[in-house]
Amino acid sequence: MSVAWDDIGGLVDAHERFLAGARVDSDVRDPVLASWKRCRAAGLEPGRLYIPYEPDVALDERFMRAAEPVLRKLADSLSELGTTVALCDGQGWMVKRLGGNRELLARLDRVHFAPGFDMSEESAGTNGVGTALVERGPVQVVGREHFADCLQPFACAGAPIRDPLSGRIEAVLDLSCLRDDGDPIMLRLVKEAAQAIEARLLEASTERERALLAAYRQATADTGAGVDGAAGLGRIDLAVLREKAEALLASPHRTLDEVNLTGGRSAILLRRPVVGASGESGVVVEARILGHPTPVDLGVGTRAPAGHPPGPHTPGGGSHSRVADHTHRMAWADPTADLAQALTPHPGTAHVVSSPSAGDTPGRLVLVGEPGVGRLALLARRRLELLHEAGIRIGATLDVTRTAEEVAEIAVPRFADFAAVDLPDAVLNGEEPEVLGGDSPLRRVALRSRNDEPRLYHVGDAFSYVSSTPQARSLESGRAVLEPVLSEALGWFAQDPVRLERVLAAGTHSLITVPLRARGATLGVVSFYRCANPEPFEGDDLSLAQELGGRAAMCIDNARRFTREHNTALTLQRSLLPRGRPEQSAVEVAYRYLPAQAAVGGDWFDVVPLSGARVALVVGDVVGHGLHAAATMGRLRTAVHNFCALDLPPDEVLTHLDDLVGRLDRGEGWALEKSSAESWSIGATCLFAVYDPVSRRCTLTRAGHPLPAVVAPDGTVDFVDLPSGPPLGLGGMPFETAELELAEGSQLVLYTDGLVEDRHRDIDAGLARLRAVLAHPGRGPEDTCEAVLDALLPARPGDDVALLVARTHVLGADRVAQWDLPSDPSVVSRARAMVTQQLAAWGLSDLAFTTELVASELVTNAIRYATGPLQLRLLRDRALICEVSDGSNTSPRLRRARTEDEGGRGLFLVAQLTERWGTRYTPHGKIIWTEQPLP
């Protein structure tokens, strides 16, 4: 089928625009674009390639025996279609080429697509062989999708061939033809052929296992063993013996091990070689239960057949292969059955078989597998344990930095010798992550190292990865990148050649980098290095790293989302808390607010100036945490300010707050019921105190809140015996007040329960500790706050804490003037004279005219409309305060007088001549007050 492949998706000029630096993401398939970027980072030039040649490229005999029948059949089926079949090794060097017509072969020879040449991406650019190796999966490259100009006349499809046990890529299979002869079915054909070769490799392994098992069966038959059970071993003992046998099987330099069993018994494990009839060699691990003369055989691991040199890392000198995450299966045979028929071996799985034995001797347990099965079993188990522990430990706290540290701690040293987690600042701050590219700015958040080897960046460093590095490629493609040999990874060196040369010299030799992707977004990248461990990372390690990175990414994203919600609630709460200290002279205040580490709560405090130079001190705590608690706190704080503006007594303020919370609760419940959401109740505690610096009297009331503390000037500490009212929102109960007289310089300490109570300390112990800390005379409010927090709070408080410390001042007699007046109109003129005289004594004669007019109007109204004794009082505070009190509960109101009215303009004049005015009620009447700014 002839198709204009290079016209699809705008590829006509995409290649040229890419080389010019333009973005072509919408025109080029993602795998092809990723390959182009790798080629450009490697320094390849599309118009000029240098492809290395090696004359003696070969694959081992075992692999070729499995591959040749599949290759011949595939080449025969494509003989008339102008397609060639190429087999390359695991590094991309071409080993064999089959099929294809004369024209195609000649053109392929001209571009060096022939046996002996290197078809890796680093040499030949984007192509079916090299790109399949890097992508670790099947790929198809057509026409202008090739990076090199000389390869653009061709179409190709490649697929890696893996060892069915270790997962390592042993070779690459490729189908190539002229571009116009290309067909999408090529990708399916090459995938099926690769799978057929892998199946033949698996079958060959099974045959060797059967031969080895037969050899072992013959060896046990020669010893004259009879029929019996398994020495009375339970399932736990058998599992322990098998695990220890696998460990011994994986240790080429060990021959003995002792195992403790249940019931006080023990077993001795012995490792010895065994050889099959066709030259297969392996290792058997036998167990001798103490008190039994005949051993229990626990494990057999095969080695390479005769004529094949053993590898350096496998038990008994076996070949270098690995099995990751293979499940080990237990199978028990009938004691009277033929052993060979009882067991059907599966490569990479472990079989435990009960073999005949004589008399009262224990049975034989046989473990059969591919070369290095003991080592592979241990690796598989350790990886499963690592993932299990990662699922438990990673994400234990909803903190982004701590979660990243947990990822590095899990990986080192059990998986890697060095691990680093790099995240953008947006993720650290809980913000939505931006689309990360190869050059996106990152910050090193976590670092874990087995040794003190040199490293490029430290925790806290900000940087960007060069586009050719594995980390940048990983961020760009969203896929993990494996660099098994860092000394050959030129893109990795580009980050900092001088320093990375030192890193390499220190022993760092292998790298896996994994993008941290969760919910469709890339949050950062984690890098795993090997230094002390001599084995490089391989394909099975890549799978484990991806699984670990996936779990880490989800936990980091959960922590990021929590951080965002926490910051939002904290910002809302801080915006609703007081900003700075209000102007007032009654008390000197210091305060602290510490949000909970886990979630923002609804604690608040306030200092509200009142009329008559008084001040209100408020501390409250809304039940619950999060945005709902912070929003409720804002409502209550606003309500407190409004009620204070009305000059209500403390118990009436709490009564109105109690009614408000009840209405909010009923309103929220209705709204949640309508939205089918889970309902919750609103509740709060509150402590309200009013201090008068003239009388030194303090009136307090509370609604379910902890008792306030009073620190006398001599350091004596008392908790005010204040009646306990119900928390706000319950309704139906009145609030009681207590009144006490405070000496000048006393400290009133108000706080929320998070200061004195947590899950590790009851409130009585907290109050005792608070009393001890406060018992220090001469300390200012700021010092008191610091001392209290240092002594009572942990580094990461579990609940919000609000602390308010107020040191009392007194408005002295030289700043207060008051006169008792009879209810007689003739006294008005005398009141004006007394006001003028007092202002002159205070040096405020500039305010005399206005103040005597205000005092005259207020006294006249009190005489005309009120009853009881009258009193006129002047206070020189931050403002000049004029007060007139009487025994009536009726309050004047401001109104606009009509033209024909003879009265009604006095209060209007007072409001115009003063800065503020109002009315407050007392137990015996009311007070009309005004304030004027001082000159």
Side-chain angles (χ1 to χ4, degrees):
M1 180 175 66
S2 178
V3 180
W5 294 85
D6 52 347
D7 291 338
I8 297 177
L11 279 174
V12 176
D13 64 343
H15 190 260
E16 287 75 9
R17 289 189 289 113
F18 171 78
L19 295 175
R23 294 183 65 90
V24 293
D25 303 59
S26 60
D27 300 326
V28 184
R29 293 187 295 124
D30 290 343
V32 174
L33 182 58
S35 176
W36 287 3
K37 292 178 179 179
R38 292 192 294 267
C39 294
R40 184 174 60 182
L44 294 183
E45 298 180 17
R48 183 176 61 182
L49 291 182
Y50 171 74
I51 300 181
Y53 175 79
E54 288 286 344
D56 299 320
V57 181
L59 288 165
D60 67 67
E61 183 180 348
R62 174 186 67 90
F63 184 90
M64 293 306 298
R65 282 200 305 267
E68 281 178 349
V70 178
L71 296 177
R72 286 196 303 268
K73 182 178 179 181
L74 181 61
D76 291 342
S77 66
L78 299 174
S79 59
E80 298 180 0
L81 298 179
T83 302
T84 184
V85 180
L87 180 67
C88 301
D89 67 10
Q91 286 72 45
W93 295 86
M94 189 177 295
V95 177
K96 198 169 188 177
R97 191 178 67 183
L98 297 84
N101 56 40
R102 181 177 300 177
E103 178 189 0
L104 175 63
L105 294 178
R107 298 185 66 172
L108 290 175
D109 287 342
R110 285 199 295 270
V111 298
H112 296 156
F113 191 82
F117 286 97
D118 182 10
M119 289 294 107
S120 66
E121 239 184 25
E122 292 182 354
S123 297
T126 308
N127 70 92
V129 177
T131 306
L133 273 175
V134 177
E135 295 289 330
R136 307 185 67 81
V139 298
Q140 188 162 19
V141 182
V142 181
R144 294 180 185 243
E145 289 184 331
H146 289 88
F147 185 78
D149 296 340
C150 63
L151 296 181
Q152 292 183 2
F154 303 97
C156 56
I161 304 172
R162 288 179 167 83
D163 185 299
L165 298 179
S166 69
R168 292 179 60 189
I169 295 178
E170 298 285 344
V172 182
L173 187 62
D174 176 88
L175 301 182
S176 296
C177 63
L178 293 176
R179 180 184 61 195
D180 292 339
D181 295 331
D183 195 296
I185 199 173
M186 293 169 59
L187 186 62
R188 193 187 75 185
L189 290 176
V190 77
K191 287 169 56 178
E192 292 176 350
Q195 292 170 357
I197 296 174
E198 291 173 354
R200 289 181 58 82
L201 287 171
L202 192 62
E203 184 180 353
S205 298
T206 303
E207 291 174 356
R208 289 198 304 277
E209 284 187 341
R210 287 175 176 164
L212 182 66
L213 179 60
Y216 180 73
R217 173 172 170 256
Q218 183 62 41
T220 57
D222 293 341
T223 63
V227 179
D228 193 20
L233 298 180
R235 298 179 65 183
I236 295 177
D237 288 337
L238 291 175
V240 171
L241 284 174
R242 193 180 76 174
E243 181 178 350
K244 295 295 184 180
E246 289 171 348
L248 189 58
L249 207 66
S251 305
H253 303 297
R254 295 175 57 204
T255 57
L256 289 172
D257 195 6
E258 184 175 359
V259 183
N260 294 322
L261 305 176
T262 59
R265 297 180 296 176
S266 62
I268 300 297
L269 296 179
L270 174 65
R271 182 181 189 272
R272 65 180 178 84
V274 63
V275 180
S278 301
E280 299 87 356
S281 61
V283 176
V284 61
V285 177
E286 299 174 339
R288 183 179 297 279
I289 310 300
L290 295 188
H292 294 276
T294 303
V296 180
D297 305 323
L298 290 174
V300 174
T302 66
R303 289 192 298 206
H308 291 267
H313 300 297
T314 55
S319 64
H320 182 70
S321 62
R322 306 175 67 176
V323 174
D325 302 335
H326 280 266
T327 303
H328 298 273
R329 186 175 63 181
M330 302 283 288
W332 289 93
D334 188 339
T336 62
D338 186 339
L339 184 60
Q341 295 177 355
L343 177 62
T344 303
H346 293 264
T349 63
H351 299 263
V352 180
V353 179
S354 178
S355 174
S357 57
D360 59 353
T361 59
R364 293 173 175 81
L365 304 177
V366 182
L367 183 66
V368 179
E370 271 294 286
V373 64
R375 172 176 167 271
L376 303 178
L378 286 179
L379 289 175
R381 180 180 295 110
R382 288 170 183 169
R383 286 170 181 164
L384 289 174
E385 291 172 353
L386 180 65
L387 290 176
H388 174 70
E389 186 175 350
I392 295 175
R393 288 182 55 187
I394 298 177
T397 62
L398 288 173
D399 180 83
V400 175
T401 299
R402 181 57 193 150
T403 303
E405 292 171 348
E406 290 165 350
V407 176
E409 291 170 1
I410 284 289
V412 178
R414 296 167 61 181
F415 176 64
D417 299 312
F418 175 82
V421 181
D422 306 320
L423 304 174
D425 287 337
V427 172
L428 290 174
N429 297 330
E431 302 169 7
E432 288 293 335
E434 300 178 356
V435 178
L436 294 183
D439 58 349
S440 297
L442 299 174
R443 187 175 300 279
R444 180 139 296 176
V445 178
L447 191 66
R448 187 80 170 183
S449 178
R450 191 173 186 173
N451 302 312
D452 295 328
E453 65 272 356
R455 59 201 64 165
L456 185 58
Y457 300 112
H458 297 268
V459 172
D461 290 351
F463 55 89
S464 295
Y465 281 110
V466 176
S467 60
S468 62
T469 58
Q471 288 86 351
R473 287 154 44 197
S474 179
L475 289 171
E476 193 77 28
S477 64
R479 300 171 62 180
V481 174
L482 167 63
E483 290 287 358
V485 183
L486 280 177
S487 60
E488 301 175 2
L490 301 180
W492 178 68
F493 275 103
Q495 185 73 20
D496 190 330
V498 176
R499 187 173 297 183
L500 289 180
E501 187 67 43
R502 294 199 298 267
V503 172
L504 199 64
T508 304
H509 59 83
S510 190
L511 163 68
I512 292 179
T513 177
V514 183
L516 297 172
R517 289 185 56 81
R519 301 181 176 95
T522 301
L523 307 175
V525 64
V526 56
S527 302
F528 304 105
Y529 292 86
R530 278 195 176 164
C531 313
N533 188 339
E535 298 182 7
F537 285 121
E538 297 179 354
D540 47 357
D541 296 309
L542 185 66
S543 301
L544 176 61
Q546 288 173 321
E547 179 69 21
L548 192 61
R551 298 190 183 194
M554 190 60 66
C555 293
I556 289 176
D557 191 52
N558 289 339
R560 178 194 65 81
R561 290 169 178 262
F562 172 79
T563 301
R564 180 186 61 188
E565 297 298 328
H566 181 79
N567 290 343
T568 301
L570 186 59
T571 301
L572 173 63
Q573 186 176 49
R574 290 195 182 280
S575 68
L576 297 174
L577 287 172
R579 298 183 180 180
R581 296 173 175 84
E583 293 185 358
Q584 50 82 33
S585 303
V587 292
E588 176 189 352
V589 296
Y591 53 81
R592 297 290 188 274
Y593 169 74
L594 278 75
Q597 183 67 28
V600 173
D603 292 16
W604 92 93
F605 62 91
D606 225 329
V607 178
V608 185
L610 301 177
S611 63
R614 300 170 305 136
V615 65
L617 306 173
V618 191
V619 171
D621 185 0
V622 176
V623 174
H625 294 85
L627 286 174
H628 182 262
T632 302
M633 177 272 290
R635 292 175 175 179
L636 296 184
R637 181 169 177 260
T638 301
V640 167
H641 275 263
N642 291 334
F643 296 144
C644 287
L646 298 176
D647 264 324
L648 299 178
D651 55 336
E652 291 190 29
V653 170
L654 290 192
T655 299
H656 286 291
L657 283 179
D658 179 62
D659 180 63
L660 173 63
V661 171
R663 286 187 284 113
L664 288 176
D665 197 6
R666 291 189 296 272
E668 292 288 350
W670 179 85
L672 291 170
E673 182 181 357
K674 291 295 184 181
S675 62
S676 301
E678 182 182 357
S679 63
W680 65 79
S681 297
I682 298 175
T685 65
C686 185
L687 175 64
F688 194 96
V690 174
Y691 173 71
D692 187 345
V694 178
S695 63
R696 294 189 290 110
R697 307 291 295 178
C698 184
T699 305
L700 306 96
T701 185
R702 65 176 178 141
H705 204 80
L707 293 172
V710 174
V711 184
D714 61 358
T716 305
V717 180
D718 290 311
F719 290 100
V720 181
D721 186 13
L722 188 60
S724 176
L728 301 176
L730 297 182
M733 296 293 292
F735 295 97
E736 301 181 49
T737 60
E739 189 172 290
L740 61 154
E741 185 173 318
L742 300 178
E744 183 176 7
S746 300
Q747 289 189 3
L748 188 63
V749 182
L750 286 65
Y751 51 89
T752 55
D753 59 355
L755 180 69
V756 295
E757 184 180 22
D758 58 35
R759 57 184 179 179
H760 304 296
R761 176 182 61 192
D762 62 32
I763 192 169
D764 291 335
L767 290 175
R769 182 62 178 155
L770 177 61
R771 180 191 295 272
V773 174
L774 294 176
H776 289 273
R779 197 158 51 187
E782 287 288 345
D783 294 336
T784 299
C785 285
E786 290 297 325
V788 168
L789 295 186
D790 290 344
L792 274 78
L793 279 191
R796 301 162 69 94
D799 193 8
D800 283 22
V801 173
L803 173 65
L804 180 63
V805 178
R807 181 162 61 183
T808 61
H809 294 167
V810 173
L811 201 63
D814 59 328
R815 301 171 66 182
V816 179
Q818 64 181 34
W819 303 275
D820 293 326
L821 304 175
S823 183
D824 184 351
S826 63
V827 80
V828 175
S829 59
R830 185 158 58 94
R832 288 198 297 266
M834 291 186 295
V835 166
T836 302
Q837 182 180 0
Q838 184 61 53
L839 291 180
W842 284 344
L844 299 176
S845 299
D846 292 345
L847 298 179
F849 175 77
T850 302
T851 306
E852 68 171 317
L853 181 60
V854 169
S856 173
E857 182 62 33
L858 295 182
V859 170
T860 300
N861 284 344
I863 293 173
R864 179 176 298 177
Y865 301 111
T867 60
L870 304 181
Q871 187 181 75
L872 172 63
R873 187 169 74 164
L874 293 179
L875 305 176
R876 183 169 61 88
D877 191 35
R878 292 179 178 271
L880 178 63
I881 302 171
C882 178
E883 297 180 342
V884 174
S885 61
D886 58 54
S888 172
N889 287 325
T890 60
S891 175
R893 60 186 181 88
L894 185 65
R895 63 185 182 90
R896 184 175 296 276
R898 292 172 296 184
T899 306
E900 61 273 15
D901 290 345
E902 295 184 2
R905 297 177 177 84
L907 202 56
F908 177 78
L909 290 176
V910 169
Q912 295 299 311
L913 294 174
T914 60
E915 188 175 55
R916 298 173 60 219
W917 75 279
T919 304
R920 71 174 182 268
Y921 293 93
T922 67
H924 308 291
K926 68 176 183 297
I927 297 175
I928 308 297
W929 57 269
T930 65
E931 288 185 3
Q932 302 175 69
L934 296 177

